[in-house]
């Protein structure tokens, strides 16, 4: 049966739009793959260590030359790469924090991008379908005043496709702060429409991928 790698990175559990939309995607996937496997990492609840010099060197130096610290760092990177390689599809939930992704998600990326294994020409995860739910409190789409401040999808598209050669698709619920910020009250209807579209997209994309990997 198919395997889904599901990552959440929002610091909040309730409310969290990115978590709620990834949960909808995952439920649809699991309903269609009741005997399948979901590898789940809550990067906020159990954050990974940042990539260190030991982790970098361990990917370059012969195994028999590793110090104990390098061996431990290499083991973690290998574990994360194994999870990514085992997955038939990947689901990533991320909010926008200060115009970009949470550091917890960046830590996962730095650990899992291993040139010569997962990354680079002939990488082991090339072409793997990846759905990113990128929630944001305001509006950053084309033509908006803050379009140039958007470094979530622009960054993730470059790193996921350029380094890992993943097949990336985005779901973008935006204006998520409309109900909690009085100055955004005129945008509540637009926020609700964006949320509804994101939920619909999550169901449809999960359904399409689940059918693709049907036994």
């Amino acid at each position: 049966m198919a395997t889904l790698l599901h990552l959440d990175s929002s610091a909040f559990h309730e409310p969290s739009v990115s978590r709620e939309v990834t949960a909808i995607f995952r439920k649809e996937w699991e309903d269609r793959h009741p005997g399948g496997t979901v590898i789940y990492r809550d990067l906020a609840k159990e954050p990974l260590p940042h990539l260190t010099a030991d982790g970098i060197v361990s990917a370059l130096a012969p195994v028999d030359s590793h110090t104990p610290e390098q061996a431990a760092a290499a083991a973690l990177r290998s574990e994360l790469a194994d999870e990514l390689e085992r997955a038939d599809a990947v689901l990533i939930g991320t909010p926008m924090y200060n115009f970009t992704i949470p550091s917890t998600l960046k830590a996962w990326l730095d650990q899992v991008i291993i040139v010569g294994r997962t990354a680079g020409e002939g990488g082991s995860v090339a072409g793997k379908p990846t759905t990113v739910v990128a929630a944001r409190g305001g509006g950053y789409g084309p033509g908006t005043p803050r379009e140039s401040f958007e470094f979530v999808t622009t960054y993730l598209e470059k790193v996921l496709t350029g380094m890992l050669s993943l097949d990336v698709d985005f779901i973008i619920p935006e204006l998520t702060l409309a109900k909690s910020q009085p100055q955004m009250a005129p945008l509540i209807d637009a926020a609700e429409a964006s949320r509804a579209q994101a939920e619909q997209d999550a169901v449809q994309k999960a359904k399409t991928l689940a059918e693709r990997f049907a036994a």
Side-chain angles (χ1 to χ4, degrees), residues 15-75:
S16 167
V17 174
S18 65
R19 288 180 183 271
E20 290 168 4
V21 176
T22 60
I24 290 171
F25 183 107
R26 176 171 169 174
K27 182 179 185 304
E28 184 69 22
W29 173 277
E30 290 182 314
D31 285 348
R32 294 174 180 276
H33 287 293
T37 300
V38 175
I39 303 168
Y40 181 62
R41 281 191 177 270
D42 187 331
L43 300 175
K45 186 176 181 179
E46 297 182 350
L48 296 166
H50 290 292
L51 183 62
T52 63
D54 288 326
I56 296 171
V57 171
S58 71
L60 304 173
V63 173
D64 58 8
S65 71
H66 285 178
T67 65
E69 294 77 15
Q70 290 167 357

Side-chain angles (χ1 to χ4, degrees), residues 3-5 25 29 84 87-92 125-132 165-169 205 209 212-213:
T3 296
L4 176 70
L5 173 60
F25 183 107
W29 173 277
L84 182 56
D88 295 292
V90 181
L91 173 64
I92 299 173
V125 298
K128 197 178 295 289
T130 301
T131 303
V132 179
S165 298
L166 298 172
D167 181 9
V168 181
D169 196 13
K205 292 178 189 300
L209 278 176
R212 175 175 167 183
F213 294 107

Side-chain angles (χ1 to χ4, degrees), residues 22 25 67 121-122 156 170 175 178-179 189 196 201 206-208 214:
T22 60
F25 183 107
T67 65
E121 186 175 357
L156 288 175
F170 288 96
L175 304 171
K179 288 186 177 180
D189 287 347
D201 289 346
K207 176 181 177 180
T208 299

